[in-house]
Amino acid sequence: MKTSEPIEGQMPNLSNNQLHDDFDSDERRADAYRERIEQAKELLPLYDLIEELDDAEDVDQGLCPFHDDHTPSFSLFSNDGNELWKCHSGCGAGDQINYLEIKYELTRGEAIRMFLEMAGLSDDDGGRFNRWTHGKI
């Protein structure tokens, strides 16, 4: 007796077209997500994020907001149009998302969601900065 249902432990029989369509769909979603992150970076530049998180005073003096810094070790710079930060004492380096990861000990996914929300591109209600500036971190 022939059945179209896969036998337990076997992969379902998908055509190459189905596999290709699924891959293309995943790629389109990933591209759209990357574009959304880039849009958020335009809406909320690195220094604006730092100001919103009340870290600008230390950063303006070159002090790292991630450790007890008494000697300037923190810098902001641009590389190929990307705004980046670096702690030269070893706390880390990166973009806005990396900043949030380190500041709040978040996973990458959590930091991305937080950043999108702060930039006003979240699917959640509340708008720019609402959740994060009212002590709910």
Side-chain angles (χ1 to χ4, degrees):
M1 183 168 156
K2 195 171 190 178
T3 178
S4 61
E5 294 294 317
I7 299 172
E8 187 175 328
Q10 289 184 344
M11 294 292 293
N13 187 13
L14 299 175
S15 72
N16 283 338
N17 286 341
Q18 287 172 311
L19 291 173
H20 184 69
D21 290 346
D22 288 346
F23 178 78
D24 284 347
S25 177
D26 289 345
E27 282 296 308
R28 282 192 297 275
R29 271 194 297 272
D31 288 344
Y33 201 56
R34 281 188 287 271
E35 287 176 26
R36 198 163 161 212
I37 290 169
E38 289 307 312
Q39 182 183 11
K41 287 180 179 182
E42 290 175 17
L43 292 169
L44 184 56
L46 179 58
Y47 191 77
D48 291 356
L49 172 76
I50 289 168
E51 285 183 316
E52 289 296 328
L53 299 175
D54 294 324
D55 291 339
E57 187 175 327
D58 286 339
V59 169
D60 287 344
Q61 296 175 42
L63 302 176
C64 178
F66 306 128
H67 72 272
D68 187 21
D69 199 358
H70 301 284
T71 304
S73 65
F74 193 86
S75 61
L76 299 174
F77 59 97
S78 180
N79 185 10
D80 293 328
N82 297 309
E83 295 179 340
L84 302 168
W85 63 272
K86 180 173 183 166
C87 171
H88 299 277
S89 292
C91 290
D95 61 7
Q96 292 94 318
I97 295 166
N98 302 112
Y99 193 93
L100 293 171
E101 283 180 274
I102 292 174
K103 182 167 180 76
Y104 296 112
E105 298 178 5
L106 301 173
T107 65
R108 180 93 176 147
E110 291 168 335
I112 289 171
R113 283 188 295 281
M114 181 180 185
F115 180 59
L116 291 174
E117 185 172 324
M118 291 180 74
L121 296 178
S122 173
D123 294 331
D124 299 330
D125 292 333
R128 187 171 177 174
F129 311 124
N130 187 48
R131 178 176 174 198
W132 307 109
T133 58
H134 289 92
K136 296 183 182 178
I137 298 175

